[in-house]
Amino acid sequence: MSKKIVIGNWKMNPLTLKEAEKLFAGTAGLIAGDKKVEVVVCPPFLYLEKLRKISKRISVGAQNGFFEDTGAFTGEVSLEMLYDIGARYVILGHSERRAMGETDMDVNKKVKSAIKASFTPVLCIGESARDENHEYLNFIRKELEACLAGISRNSVSKLIIAYEPIWAIGEGAHSATPEEFLEMSIFIKKILSDKFGVEAGGKIRIIYGGSADEKNAGEFLKIGKADGFLLGRASLNPKKFNKIIQIAGEI
Ligand code: PGA
């Protein structure tokens, strides 16, 4: 069985480098030294290099990355550059980026570039709403297939899929149920095994995100059989973040 993974997505927080260092060090200070659970924090780009040096226990990741290595792409930061400063994970296709115009085709190029640069890509997928006719399943299938188009089975050993229903993300939302996650993860696994074969497809970890916290984490792991979490708000609270890591280490 592969290791559980807990990934914190700090989004555009906190406001200053000083606060980021404090939050990161505070988080690192709470986490047990045993490496039962893989722990990753994805801060804003410009804090990455500094934070990476604070703790050996926590790996750092980026929240995005551009697919071309260098060139005339004003305002972009390439995956190769991020790897060079120590990022080893990258969140790709987060719904907040898709809401700003990122397409499946962009995400597909980014996943390919991340694999080429030796990252562990964390590909986010999720529907914006559910409907009685289960159209959302078709949406997920299409989204997943488009984001993974042209990727071969021998390059997906590190790939992680984060199922994050958009309706479950952020302030005021409620999480999916562990049963809903389980059903979706079986569906995703089937698509992955059809595409990459049972062996390679079966190794791809599927994690949950969207209002996951220390209260529902246990059930997502036990009932939902989640391989871990992508956490937004809970990752900004060292105690909550650590509690979720602890729970993942016990199940
Ligand atoms: P949330 O965000 O945990 O604050 O709902 C999750 C995410 O956007 O990755």
Side-chain angles (χ1 to χ4, degrees):
M1 233 177 66
S2 55
K3 252 195 198 179
K4 300 268 186 315
I5 182 163
V6 175
I7 306 171
N9 174 11
W10 282 7
K11 307 191 177 179
M12 203 172 71
N13 298 293
L15 189 59
T16 64
L17 173 59
K18 212 169 185 180
E19 284 174 82
E21 286 172 324
K22 197 168 152 219
L23 177 60
F24 196 89
T27 302
L30 289 176
I31 300 171
D34 70 69
K35 299 204 168 168
K36 267 201 234 157
V37 178
E38 219 170 308
V39 182
V40 184
V41 164
C42 302
F45 286 150
L46 71 171
Y47 302 153
L48 268 169
E49 202 184 352
K50 276 266 168 96
L51 299 189
R52 179 179 69 86
K53 294 174 185 143
I54 294 178
S55 163
K56 283 205 171 72
R57 179 67 186 91
I58 307 179
S59 304
V60 293
Q63 299 170 17
N64 180 31
F66 197 61
F67 45 82
E68 298 286 356
D69 298 346
T70 55
F73 304 101
T74 303
E76 295 291 355
V77 175
S78 79
L79 283 153
E80 289 284 350
M81 290 170 181
L82 291 162
Y83 194 88
D84 181 58
I85 61 154
R88 293 293 176 265
Y89 296 75
V90 62
I91 299 171
L92 295 172
H94 190 281
S95 59
E96 286 155 15
R97 296 214 50 83
R98 293 178 189 264
M100 287 187 269
E102 195 163 284
T103 65
D104 287 341
M105 217 200 271
D106 298 325
V107 179
N108 177 243
K109 286 185 199 158
K110 291 179 178 192
V111 175
K112 285 178 180 159
S113 173
I115 290 171
K116 188 180 125 239
S118 306
F119 275 92
T120 297
V122 182
L123 169 61
C124 300
I125 55 169
E127 76 284 0
S128 56
R130 290 202 164 194
D131 60 296
E132 282 174 15
N133 299 330
H134 296 90
E135 255 315 302
Y136 65 91
L137 290 173
N138 280 331
F139 175 86
I140 291 291
R141 176 193 295 279
K142 281 192 198 134
E143 187 175 49
L144 192 56
E145 283 173 350
C147 293
L148 295 176
I151 292 170
S152 69
R153 70 177 62 189
N154 53 21
S155 61
V156 291
S157 61
K158 290 190 192 167
L159 180 68
I160 294 174
I161 305 294
Y163 171 60
E164 294 205 306
I166 299 171
W167 47 267
I169 295 175
E171 211 67 58
H174 64 88
S175 73
T177 64
E179 290 81 8
E180 283 168 337
F181 174 77
L182 178 63
E183 183 189 63
M184 186 58 88
S185 95
I186 293 169
F187 181 69
I188 293 169
K189 274 199 177 95
K190 172 81 172 76
I191 299 169
L192 295 172
S193 336
D194 286 349
K195 182 167 171 62
F196 299 120
V198 177
E199 215 197 312
K203 283 194 191 128
I204 299 174
R205 288 180 286 182
I206 304 176
I207 64 176
Y208 175 74
S211 300
D213 59 25
E214 74 289 0
K215 294 188 202 94
N216 58 28
E219 299 219 306
F220 273 108
L221 295 164
K222 268 189 249 160
I223 303 169
K225 300 191 174 31
D227 292 311
F229 298 99
L230 180 54
L231 305 166
R233 284 157 296 158
S235 70
L236 295 168
N237 179 322
K239 277 199 189 130
K240 287 187 182 179
F241 191 59
N242 181 54
K243 183 75 196 156
I244 296 165
I245 294 163
Q246 240 177 4
I247 295 169
E250 285 158 10
I251 293 171

